[in-house]
Amino acid sequence: MDAEPIPATTSPSATSEADRARRLRAAEITRDIAIGGLASLIAGILVVGVGGRLVMRLIAALNPEATGLLTTAGATIGEITTGGTMFFVVMFGSLAGGMVGVVWAIVSPWIPGGGLVRAVASALVAIAIGSFLVVRTDEGDFGKVAPPAAIALLVALFGILGLAVAVFDERLRRRLPPASASSTASQVAYIVLDAIGLVFLTLVVSAYFTHGTFPTESGEGFSPPVEIGIAIVVVAVATVISWGSRVLEHPLALSRSVTVIGRGALAAAVALGAIRLAGEVSGILAAA
């Protein structure tokens, strides 16, 4: 009589080793998100804060007849003060950096290439899905300055922002130790940065889905780009699934399917954003 086969069992040590491997992969994802957030914060302060202030000064210099007029935000065109500059750089730079960090965590896994190619692609993505939040037909300030120059400078600012985030992200990944070599303090810092990002998540959702997020002179409020927001949500779902697949080591077929969805949804968001931006620019120039 044949003996029944003895079922295979997993030793406690093998199970423990598998758990450690999963925790390490989860820590690597936490590190990736935190580094992207830190890169975005640095880029936000430098590009949006410092660079944005320089762009405002340049727009004022190109439009001397607008000096003294009030913007929608209540600022005086051409008036540059130390206190106002510091507030703009720190407050708006940090705010923009935090929001960009959330979007970067969502879309960065699906931006192809590396080095300069990835940086340029990131710049194009930033222009397409972000610049129309500032370059808007309902923004009355474009009626006070020469629109073509102002539009070009603002769109370029978003492109530089996307490029800077990609560059800082790549450099930080090289300099900061991998999760396997990170100290407990570093791991806690990564978790704290990720938690802070959740605060800015509500602002990103508001920007793409909430009516009246940005002030307008007409008082009607900003019409949110819901269709672009939906595409970004699909990208976010693909990103979360890819993180889970990475931690649990799901089959390659799933990874390939998620990659198609993630990159396809990002391409849709970019295309929709480009169409929206073109419409906003056309409206601004027509009203000028």
Side-chain angles (χ1 to χ4, degrees):
M1 184 176 181
D2 295 336
E4 294 185 2
I6 300 175
T9 59
T10 303
S11 67
S13 61
T15 301
S16 178
E17 185 62 32
D19 289 339
R20 280 195 295 269
R22 281 193 289 268
R23 286 195 296 269
L24 178 58
R25 290 191 292 271
E28 289 172 347
I29 293 172
T30 300
R31 174 182 178 271
D32 289 346
I33 298 171
I35 287 176
L38 184 58
S40 299
L41 180 60
I42 296 171
I45 292 174
L46 293 179
V47 178
V48 177
V50 178
R53 198 63 167 169
L54 291 175
V55 164
M56 292 169 61
R57 188 71 187 94
L58 184 55
I59 291 175
L62 293 173
N63 300 271
E65 70 282 357
T67 300
L69 298 178
L70 292 178
T71 66
T72 303
T76 302
I77 297 177
E79 182 180 290
I80 304 296
T81 64
T82 301
T85 297
M86 291 301 296
F87 177 81
F88 185 91
V89 169
V90 176
M91 189 69 181
F92 285 95
S94 300
L95 180 64
M99 294 178 67
V100 170
V102 172
V103 177
W104 179 253
I106 293 171
V107 306
S108 61
W110 314 114
I111 298 177
L116 181 60
V117 173
R118 181 174 172 82
V120 172
S122 299
L124 296 176
V125 170
I127 290 173
I129 69 175
S131 59
F132 61 82
L133 297 174
V134 175
V135 180
R136 310 192 321 262
T137 307
D138 58 19
E139 176 53 75
D141 292 339
F142 285 108
K144 303 166 187 174
V145 297
I151 291 171
L153 287 170
L154 290 172
V155 170
L157 190 69
F158 272 85
I160 295 171
L161 176 61
L163 188 147
V165 172
V167 170
F168 289 140
D169 182 86
E170 185 173 352
R171 292 190 175 182
L172 287 173
R173 289 178 192 278
R174 292 176 182 174
R175 293 175 179 271
L176 296 179
S180 58
S182 297
S183 64
T184 301
S186 298
Q187 293 175 2
V188 171
Y190 293 152
I191 294 173
V192 170
L193 284 172
D194 292 349
I196 292 174
L198 294 176
V199 176
F200 291 97
L201 176 60
T202 58
L203 298 178
V204 173
V205 172
S206 177
Y208 285 95
F209 291 100
T210 304
H211 184 82
T213 299
F214 300 96
T216 61
E217 289 189 342
S218 65
E220 296 180 358
F222 172 68
S223 178
V226 176
E227 68 285 357
I228 303 170
I230 292 174
I232 293 176
V233 168
V234 175
V235 178
V237 171
T239 300
V240 172
I241 293 175
S242 73
W243 290 338
S245 177
R246 181 174 162 187
V247 172
L248 301 176
E249 291 190 319
H250 276 273
L252 183 61
L254 174 60
S255 298
R256 287 176 175 171
S257 299
V258 173
T259 298
V260 171
I261 294 172
R263 288 185 173 171
L266 178 57
V270 169
L272 291 170
I275 293 171
R276 173 78 178 235
L277 176 61
E280 297 291 349
V281 170
S282 177
I284 292 170
L285 296 178

